[in-house]
Amino acid sequence: METMSPHPVASTNTPAPTTVPLYLQIALHMAQMVASGALKMGQRLPSVRDSAVQNGVSVSTVVQAFHYLEEHGLVQPRPKAGYFVATDGKALASTLVRKIGHQSAAPTNPVSAASGVKPLANFAGYSPQNKVFFDADRIRVAVSRATRLKRDTLTEYASSSGTTALRDAVALRALHLGCALRGEKIVITAGCIHAISLCLQAVTQPGDLVAVESPTYFGFLDLLEAMNLKALAIPSDPRTGVSLPALQLALQTQPIRAVLLVPTLSNPQGSVMPLTQKRALAQLVAQHQVPLIEDVVFNDLLATDARRKAVKAFDTQGWVMICGSFAKTVAPGIRLGWTEAGRWSQTVATLKRVQGASTTAVLEYALADLLTQGSYEAQLRRLCLLMKQRLGQARRLIQANFPRGTRVYDPPAGYTLWIELPGHLDGMALFALCAARSIRIGPGQLFCSSLQYQHFVRLSFAGAWGATEQEALAEVGRLACALQVGETAPPVSAPGPIDRSDLMCDLMSGDRVSAHDLW
């Protein structure tokens, strides 16, 4: 963890205000969708978090838009579920559209200035999107070879658990994680999040409590919300990962049905649990007989097998359900994941079969080919070196342009940096300022179920990285400096106070359990 050095604060220009407040623009868009029939009575609106990210605005703006629609009778909130269209009266929606439209000659589909426009720089995503990371020709040849040699599979139903070739290739790669897996117990899935979803279905029921590290990947929070599961936030260290004493206390005092963690290169912090703690974690879940769902999608980004070793390597009783994919290291476009679910292997295989979630055999053969080629380890070394250089450049830009007192955590590998802003600067306010300049960042609030990480941001460097992106990163720092000294105020969507704790309850469906007392 580094402390940033002081530097002169650059002045910035406040973006010109829009004619219609942002919250009314979003409300107008929703009302138009109801009026056109795109949203029907009883249909669920997009979540607060998704709407904020899609429109490039703060979550408070979206909450105000939804409250406006609720006040006018067009939508209604449902506990633990979100907002739904309350009536099918197109006339009511049309009236509301005219009412908003009369306040200004605003565009008919205005959300935010940056919405729908390709961002100048995107530091918000995690999946690598730049072709410099991968050998596109090697991927193309593998897919072409599989299509030629296995073309008959295109006219046949594939095995619901996956092809033997890929399951065996995954088992072979798992040796680098310290795991001796049997190919026949591995289930191939449509990505890692699909594997995690199947594992959760196998061991939980709606309303159950699932322990997650805090902060955690917001996709996990979305998944738990969609499955009507409650999340118990367990504190974690940015270097060594989840706190085992806190987790042990939670297991002793709370009705936890599953634990969902990324012990190696966690997202967003990039922490790596020491091997002694991984062993202790495997023993802890076995002692309490609670399944651990372990995401190992980033393990291969570490340089040595010793550091890649998974918690599953220490599992002797089948309480660890390991899930992974190769989207971050081989080919993001080949959307295939895998899981070996320990005691629940057969249950997970059955769930995949009865849900009809089969994968494409040709792509499975292509991925098996890519995994068993001798050049894979060389590709990993090249990828790790490239990201080490890129993150080093990013740190220097942060040091030169972000406010004095900024802290940037130092993960051993990966695509992102977890940044703590000084003076409790609001990461969501910085997100809104950046969005107005077509720059995307990940505010810390998206990664937890409380306001604890309100002054954090996650920056990803998995996309393009040239002069434009480097200048955009410097601009993020200048905006943070201006925000700190009050030269630039955060965008205001409408007058009136907003309770931020209520806001996070709306953002997280109001049904997640905080565990700050476990610290």
Side-chain angles (χ1 to χ4, degrees), residues 135-155:
D135 188 342
D137 288 337
R138 189 168 68 93
I139 298 170
R140 177 183 54 78
V141 169
V143 173
S144 298
R145 183 186 299 118
T147 304
R148 184 178 70 255
L149 297 178
K150 303 295 181 180
R151 56 183 177 273
D152 290 345
T153 62
L154 295 172
T155 59

Side-chain angles (χ1 to χ4, degrees), residues 398-423:
I398 293 169
Q399 185 173 12
N401 294 279
F402 276 61
R404 179 179 182 180
T406 297
R407 290 182 172 182
V408 54
Y409 293 89
D410 188 18
Y415 299 100
T416 66
L417 293 175
W418 182 239
I419 296 170
E420 181 178 1
L421 300 172

Side-chain angles (χ1 to χ4, degrees), residues 138 173 369-381:
R138 189 168 68 93
R173 280 302 311 172
D369 184 5
L370 291 167
L371 291 176
T372 53
Q373 292 177 9
S375 58
Y376 181 51
E377 282 293 330
Q379 156 70 9
L380 289 176
R381 289 192 294 271

Side-chain angles (χ1 to χ4, degrees), residues 197-228:
S197 173
L198 290 172
C199 289
L200 284 170
Q201 291 177 59
V203 299
T204 66
Q205 297 292 330
D208 282 348
L209 192 61
V210 178
V212 297
E213 57 204 321
S214 179
T216 190
Y217 172 46
F218 59 79
F220 292 168
L221 301 178
D222 287 339
L223 178 61
L224 295 177
E225 180 179 349
M227 296 179 66
N228 197 21

Side-chain angles (χ1 to χ4, degrees), residues 203-270:
V203 299
T204 66
Q205 297 292 330
D208 282 348
L209 192 61
V210 178
V212 297
E213 57 204 321
S214 179
T216 190
Y217 172 46
F218 59 79
F220 292 168
L221 301 178
D222 287 339
L223 178 61
L224 295 177
E225 180 179 349
M227 296 179 66
N228 197 21
L229 297 170
K230 302 175 184 178
L232 176 64
I234 308 297
S236 62
D237 182 271
R239 291 167 294 276
T240 59
V242 69
S243 167
L244 292 186
L247 179 58
Q248 181 174 17
L249 178 58
L251 289 169
Q252 292 170 347
T253 60
Q254 303 290 332
I256 295 172
R257 294 292 177 263
V259 180
L260 173 57
L261 300 176
V262 186
T264 305
L265 289 177
S266 67
N267 182 6
Q269 290 181 316

